[in-house]
Amino acid sequence: MPTEGAPLLQLEGVEVAYGAIQAVKGIDLTVQAGEMVCLIGANGAGKSTTLNAIAGTLPLAGGSVRYAGEALGRLPAHKRLRKGIALVPEGRGIFTRLTVEENLRMGAYTRHDADGIEADLARVYEMLPRVRERLHQVAGTLSGGEQQMVAIGRALLSRPTLLLLDEPSMGLAPLVVEKIFEVVQSVRAEGVSILLVEQNANLALEFAQRGYVMDSGRITLSGTGDALLADPAVRAAYLGESD
């Protein structure tokens, strides 16, 4: 774990490129232990790219990612998962031909503590009763909201200390979104740090303690969730309001 007062996650000058196209242009960002932070911005701003760079599924073109005081460098994604960084990707990324239970158990593939895995499965079933009801169903036949719950449950089976959530509300009905965010709040209450990418800026800022606004690969604003919600520029650009 990081030294007292140091961030759990620290990005310094992070750059990510797709060939000649620079998608993330030297951003700084921190997440403290037990904190929920959101990253908002328009489509193409670089938000998902940032999460993938933290998770290790995209290489850095510059800058550094430090986690629990350690520079991750070129550490591959599966080793970052073992260190406690779990990504719930945009579009859920579940294994559509496997059952719900098989999907969940895939989240624990880096673990060898059989009793702990069973205890964590029981916790996920309690937190997500709809998932428990669908255990033997093929995951590709689930609704979008059920698939999102499976994706979150799978990530929790890795016992993360940092959960990266990419657009968890995308394409879901309001009641389902409400349930998803109840689960997210429960996870944070258990001490898991969360970095949330969410196009629903109002929802994200209501739940997060702090937020960053990203535009064209750069961080343009940051502050507490309440401060950003009250910021006229944020309200005009991301909440559909104008003077």
Side-chain angles (χ1 to χ4, degrees), residues 51-75:
L51 290 195
N52 281 291
I54 296 166
T57 57
L58 285 175
L60 298 186
S64 67
V65 175
R66 298 186 69 85
Y67 181 72
E70 176 187 353
L72 297 182
R74 296 184 179 276
L75 195 71

Side-chain angles (χ1 to χ4, degrees), residues 56-233:
T57 57
L58 285 175
L60 298 186
S64 67
V65 175
R66 298 186 69 85
Y67 181 72
E70 176 187 353
L72 297 182
R74 296 184 179 276
L75 195 71
H78 68 280
K79 291 187 177 179
R80 297 187 190 206
L81 182 66
R82 287 193 179 104
K83 288 183 177 293
I85 301 173
L87 171 65
V88 179
E90 181 181 357
R92 293 133 204 170
I94 63 169
F95 300 99
T96 56
R97 296 185 179 183
L98 300 183
T99 67
V100 168
E101 183 177 8
E102 289 167 337
N103 267 272
L104 293 173
R105 289 186 180 277
M106 284 296 292
Y109 81 97
T110 61
R111 296 173 56 182
H112 304 288
D113 57 323
D115 290 344
I117 291 169
E118 294 305 316
D120 287 347
L121 278 168
R123 181 173 68 99
V124 167
Y125 298 158
E126 183 178 357
M127 190 179 293
L128 298 166
R130 183 67 65 87
V131 168
R132 180 176 54 203
E133 294 168 6
R134 302 287 191 269
L135 276 187
H136 304 298
Q137 189 167 331
V138 174
T141 65
L142 301 177
S143 69
E146 290 166 343
Q147 290 185 12
Q148 186 66 68
M149 291 176 189
V150 170
I152 292 172
R154 183 183 61 191
L156 294 178
L157 259 294
S158 70
R159 278 201 182 167
T161 46
L162 174 65
L163 184 62
L164 308 173
L165 287 172
D166 196 353
E167 302 285 7
S169 76
M170 181 179 287
L172 302 183
L175 284 176
V176 179
V177 172
E178 183 179 332
K179 175 59 180 175
I180 293 291
F181 273 82
E182 283 178 9
V183 171
V184 172
Q185 283 286 69
S186 297
V187 171
R188 191 186 72 78
E190 293 180 355
V192 178
S193 302
I194 296 172
L195 180 56
L196 166 72
V197 161
E198 177 57 62
Q199 279 215 289
N200 186 332
N202 193 69
L203 183 67
L205 292 170
E206 282 182 4
F207 276 88
Q209 291 151 295
R210 289 191 303 115
Y212 293 86
V213 178
M214 199 167 188
D215 183 35
S216 301
R218 293 187 170 88
I219 300 293
T220 56
L221 282 171
S222 64
T224 66
D226 289 343
L228 291 175
L229 269 174
D231 188 299

